Amino acid sequence: MAGRNIEKMASIDAQLRQLVPAKVSEDDKLIEYDALLLDRFLDILQDLHGEDLRETVQELYELSAEYEGKRDPKKLEELGKVLTSLDAGDSIVISKAFSHMLNLANLAEEVQIAYRRRIKKLKKGDFADECSATTESDIEETFKRLVSVLGKSPEEIFDALKNQTVDLVLTAHPTQSVRRSLLQKHGRIRDCLAQLYAKDITPDDKQELDESLQREIQAAFRTDEIRRTPPTPQDEMRAGMSYFHETIWNGVPKFLRRVDTALKNIGIDERVPYNAPLIQFSSWMGGDRDGNPRVTPEVTRDVCLLARMMAANFYYNQIENLMFELSMWRCTDEFRAKADEIHRNSRKDAAKHYIEFWKTIPPTEPYRVILGDVRDKLYHTRERSRQLLSNGISDIPAEATFTNVEEFLEPLELCYRSLCACGDRPIADGTLLDFLRQVSTFGLSLVKLDIRQESERHTDVLDAITKHLDGSSYREWSEERRQEWLLAELSGKRPLFGPDLPKTEEIADVLDTFKVISELPYDCFGAYIISMATSPSDVLAVELLQRECHVKKPLRVVPLFEKLADLEAAPAAVSRLFSIDWYKNRINGKQEVMIGYSDSGKDAGRLSAAWELYKAQEELVKVAKKYGVKLTMFHGRGGTVGRGGGPTHLAILSQPPDTVNGSLRVTVQGEVIEQSFGEEHLCFRTLQRFTAATLEHGMNPPVSPKPEWRALLDAMAVFATEEYRSVVFQEPRFVEYFRLATPELEYGRMNIGSRPSKRKPSGGIESLRAIPWIFAWTQTRFHLPVWLGFGAAFKYAIKKDVRNLHMLQDMYKHWPFFRVTIDLIEMVFAKGDPGIAALYDKLLVSEDLWAFGEKLRTNFEETKALVLQTAGHKDLLEEDPYLKQRLRLRDSYITTLNVCQAYTLKRIRDPNYNVTLRPHISKEILQSSKSAQELVKLNPTSEYAPGLEDTLILTMKGIAAGLQNTG
């Protein structure tokens, strides 16, 4: 027994090396990193909970590894036996341990990616997936490729770059399942690990870093992973804004400096103008009220004022550094006159709430005099927002603050011009230029808030108005009559309603939202997005309501087309809209249209949705060209493939030609925000990726598909939609099967978002949000919504004409859109495992539905084979050894959590399911504090047996972390 124990205690390193035998390349340190973190964690686990518990974790890991090797379902049953024999406290500790190990594996991976980037051994085609050379776009490489390979002149590149805009829209979609408290600890673990492997580290440094690493791993493990209350929209907004504080605020000027350097290296001796709108940020947090009753007008007001306060605070904290830097006295006459005027009018009493420069600044330091005045105004701007936020009123007059960005830029531009005129351009191009770029990017509002509302809610308001006016019902009118009436009102002057309009709660909510828009500064807001938009009257209705509610500068109105039928009808609807003279004059030659990836995928399956989105964009661009309108496409992409996710660079470069055209808006959702902006190097990479790909798409558009490719894909899409809908919408017992075979019903307990998981409390798949729909299938590793439909489409094509296989392979090689679609499906198959889905069926689904599940799993395997055949691959991910290695390292942890989840669901749903518990195995160091037992008490109100709900939620979080996808 002693020998067995020593063996057990041996480092898990050896097992990891058996699972993933070879290094993928010389610079591959992933296994080393992973083993170090795991060893440290297992030691901590043993110190906290005793040797027996550590042994149990290793036993479970070994059983999972054996299953991964042979895919023998008996191993899953053995796992199940061990897991169900644990008492409530041990069960929580073990699911927490595996979830934690997956988070550590992710961190090891991030450090490895950053390390490989640093040593810059990026051979093209070396590795794919989100973090790789083939999907990567270094800005300088992009410039050089455009010059040398495509013969573009450096001036052409500079012109295109100056005029392009990428607007990243952060949304609060409830898919970030990791708490902020943990994200911060993860960041520190990442830092320690990276420093431990630095070349110039001394033994003492190493010892101290190792201690820090252990401390942070333990702190993360001892933090409750579960959110005990749902976040409010304000919490979501604060979480989103924390990324500005951590990385984005300083990341933008740093990135723009790199662009300047890259331009210099192709012979452009100018910098990107500070007011070039290269990168912009918007937000939906606190503005997206579609199906979220918790986003009230009050919430919208709060988040706008909070963002203004944060922006003023960022500038205020930075301006003192700038004042220190600009100690020069040489300046232009224009500048001196302005500085003297400010000096004469400055109040003599000292402003003692400042740390530096709180006595009156002497006129011999003119730059400091002018910046001191800017600082005073920033202080008042921040305090006024703070007072409005907490009391609704402020005793600071608006005149003492900055009310628009031009006012703010004016003194800074004056400093810049004066320094350049006096021969100090190198100084002007230092911190001052960074500051100017921040003001141009973030303005006074930090981000522009989009408002999103469902079209039906506007119809309700107008219906109430017409009934109040003359008893007629707007809702029952034809589209023609609606347009005629809306245009007559828009051209007329009469107010449509007064305070006596009878209002339901919903109607008051819509009107109060417009009232908030009219009261807050214009620069707080971006677009007004109408979801479920189908006709021109939907857009005109919002225009009229903005006017009626006295919105001085109306927001641009953006229709959102999501369902398959809406996407097909979108070009005609937009064309009708452009043909209305009043509207054409209103938009000033610019229109934005949003296309939704999530609901179109849920409606018709991934293949048909992707193809329909592609065609809709082509047609919309044709319509816009016909009417002389510049169209901006707003892509509502999720994080997962099922919701339009995938590598950014490839996604942009596979869009149809002419559809990006130098302006792009994209949503960055939920957990993707952390993956894009969680660290400085990630933020830099994200900005670089979007900028380079947008530039490349405009200057080197992808190929248009050949007519025969289109015809084949059109025919295939019909079969794909048919198969998908026949299962999801027409199979009478599908909803029942879905609810039994997945943790969909339990998803809401995770408290990961402020939004309900359904649009309507009753209702089937149609009313289910796209996120829980994808989430549930991801948890069971079956990923049904992503691949369902592909099999039927490929079978049809090959059966119709065997030469079509050759054509599909040709499309894969030469058409970026088709290649990206197939590659993403292949990646999803690599993350899938029908054996795990079969376990859920066996435990949770009634026996008469087993055959249905079996049929779906057969379809999974057939579809996988057809995808590989099309891509010309023998094995999944054979062209991507890095991703393959990373998935293999994680699989054993995920399998344990899957088995734990399936058996826990069984115990929750079937009160007659008996398990034999073994004695409690977790030993606490301090026997008086039974912390494993205390874990059970964290959730005293659960209606389930003790510990089951927490175990279930921990497995959900762990699997989401392991697959790096929530929804």
Side-chain angles (χ1 to χ4, degrees), residues 39 116 177 215 404 527 609 783 960:
D39 273 347
R116 296 191 66 237
S177 66
R215 183 166 46 249
N404 63 50
H783 307 286

PDB file of all heavy atoms in Angstrom, residues 39 116 177 215 404 527 609 783 960:
ATOM      1  N   ASP A  39       0.983  20.718  -9.871  1.00  0.00           N
ATOM      2  CA  ASP A  39       1.712  20.232  -8.698  1.00  0.00           C
ATOM      3  C   ASP A  39       1.482  21.153  -7.510  1.00  0.00           C
ATOM      4  O   ASP A  39       1.225  20.708  -6.393  1.00  0.00           O
ATOM      5  CB  ASP A  39       3.213  20.153  -9.009  1.00  0.00           C
ATOM      6  CG  ASP A  39       3.562  18.811  -9.637  1.00  0.00           C
ATOM      7  OD1 ASP A  39       2.708  17.920  -9.579  1.00  0.00           O
ATOM      8  OD2 ASP A  39       4.663  18.680 -10.188  1.00  0.00           O
ATOM      9  N   ARG A 116       5.425  32.352 -26.767  1.00  0.00           N
ATOM     10  CA  ARG A 116       5.745  32.059 -28.172  1.00  0.00           C
ATOM     11  C   ARG A 116       5.740  33.330 -28.997  1.00  0.00           C
ATOM     12  O   ARG A 116       6.491  33.484 -29.941  1.00  0.00           O
ATOM     13  CB  ARG A 116       4.741  31.063 -28.748  1.00  0.00           C
ATOM     14  CG  ARG A 116       4.806  29.723 -28.075  1.00  0.00           C
ATOM     15  CD  ARG A 116       4.024  28.677 -28.804  1.00  0.00           C
ATOM     16  NE  ARG A 116       4.620  28.404 -30.091  1.00  0.00           N
ATOM     17  CZ  ARG A 116       3.965  28.514 -31.223  1.00  0.00           C
ATOM     18  NH1 ARG A 116       2.732  28.885 -31.239  1.00  0.00           N
ATOM     19  NH2 ARG A 116       4.560  28.244 -32.362  1.00  0.00           N
ATOM     20  N   SER A 177     -18.985  33.565 -17.054  1.00  0.00           N
ATOM     21  CA  SER A 177     -19.406  32.807 -15.877  1.00  0.00           C
ATOM     22  C   SER A 177     -18.392  32.912 -14.738  1.00  0.00           C
ATOM     23  O   SER A 177     -18.613  32.391 -13.669  1.00  0.00           O
ATOM     24  CB  SER A 177     -19.648  31.346 -16.240  1.00  0.00           C
ATOM     25  OG  SER A 177     -18.432  30.748 -16.605  1.00  0.00           O
ATOM     26  N   ARG A 215       0.405  31.285  -3.108  1.00  0.00           N
ATOM     27  CA  ARG A 215      -0.572  32.107  -2.377  1.00  0.00           C
ATOM     28  C   ARG A 215      -1.774  32.434  -3.279  1.00  0.00           C
ATOM     29  O   ARG A 215      -2.922  32.314  -2.877  1.00  0.00           O
ATOM     30  CB  ARG A 215       0.117  33.394  -1.917  1.00  0.00           C
ATOM     31  CG  ARG A 215      -0.756  34.304  -1.084  1.00  0.00           C
ATOM     32  CD  ARG A 215       0.017  35.395  -0.374  1.00  0.00           C
ATOM     33  NE  ARG A 215       0.986  36.094  -1.202  1.00  0.00           N
ATOM     34  CZ  ARG A 215       2.313  36.009  -1.055  1.00  0.00           C
ATOM     35  NH1 ARG A 215       2.829  35.255  -0.114  1.00  0.00           N
ATOM     36  NH2 ARG A 215       3.127  36.690  -1.834  1.00  0.00           N
ATOM     37  N   ASN A 404     -18.804  69.435 -23.938  1.00  0.00           N
ATOM     38  CA  ASN A 404     -18.594  68.700 -25.190  1.00  0.00           C
ATOM     39  C   ASN A 404     -17.104  68.518 -25.436  1.00  0.00           C
ATOM     40  O   ASN A 404     -16.268  69.234 -24.887  1.00  0.00           O
ATOM     41  CB  ASN A 404     -19.285  69.377 -26.382  1.00  0.00           C
ATOM     42  CG  ASN A 404     -18.718  70.752 -26.633  1.00  0.00           C
ATOM     43  OD1 ASN A 404     -17.501  70.933 -26.725  1.00  0.00           O
ATOM     44  ND2 ASN A 404     -19.597  71.746 -26.720  1.00  0.00           N
ATOM     45  N   ALA A 527     -26.209  54.266 -31.062  1.00  0.00           N
ATOM     46  CA  ALA A 527     -27.319  53.964 -31.969  1.00  0.00           C
ATOM     47  C   ALA A 527     -28.556  53.556 -31.181  1.00  0.00           C
ATOM     48  O   ALA A 527     -28.461  53.128 -30.032  1.00  0.00           O
ATOM     49  CB  ALA A 527     -26.912  52.817 -32.888  1.00  0.00           C
ATOM     50  N   ALA A 609     -27.647  29.643 -41.773  1.00  0.00           N
ATOM     51  CA  ALA A 609     -27.567  30.998 -41.217  1.00  0.00           C
ATOM     52  C   ALA A 609     -26.340  31.719 -41.769  1.00  0.00           C
ATOM     53  O   ALA A 609     -26.410  32.872 -42.196  1.00  0.00           O
ATOM     54  CB  ALA A 609     -27.505  30.937 -39.693  1.00  0.00           C
ATOM     55  N   HIS A 783     -22.948  19.765 -28.717  1.00  0.00           N
ATOM     56  CA  HIS A 783     -22.898  20.920 -29.649  1.00  0.00           C
ATOM     57  C   HIS A 783     -23.903  20.818 -30.792  1.00  0.00           C
ATOM     58  O   HIS A 783     -23.635  21.275 -31.907  1.00  0.00           O
ATOM     59  CB  HIS A 783     -21.482  21.058 -30.255  1.00  0.00           C
ATOM     60  CG  HIS A 783     -20.399  21.114 -29.233  1.00  0.00           C
ATOM     61  ND1 HIS A 783     -20.163  22.219 -28.450  1.00  0.00           N
ATOM     62  CD2 HIS A 783     -19.479  20.182 -28.840  1.00  0.00           C
ATOM     63  CE1 HIS A 783     -19.138  21.975 -27.633  1.00  0.00           C
ATOM     64  NE2 HIS A 783     -18.722  20.753 -27.836  1.00  0.00           N
ATOM     65  N   ALA A 960     -17.563  25.046 -18.759  1.00  0.00           N
ATOM     66  CA  ALA A 960     -17.511  26.278 -19.569  1.00  0.00           C
ATOM     67  C   ALA A 960     -16.060  26.771 -19.665  1.00  0.00           C
ATOM     68  O   ALA A 960     -15.601  27.185 -20.725  1.00  0.00           O
ATOM     69  CB  ALA A 960     -18.398  27.353 -18.949  1.00  0.00           C
TER      70      ALA A 960
END
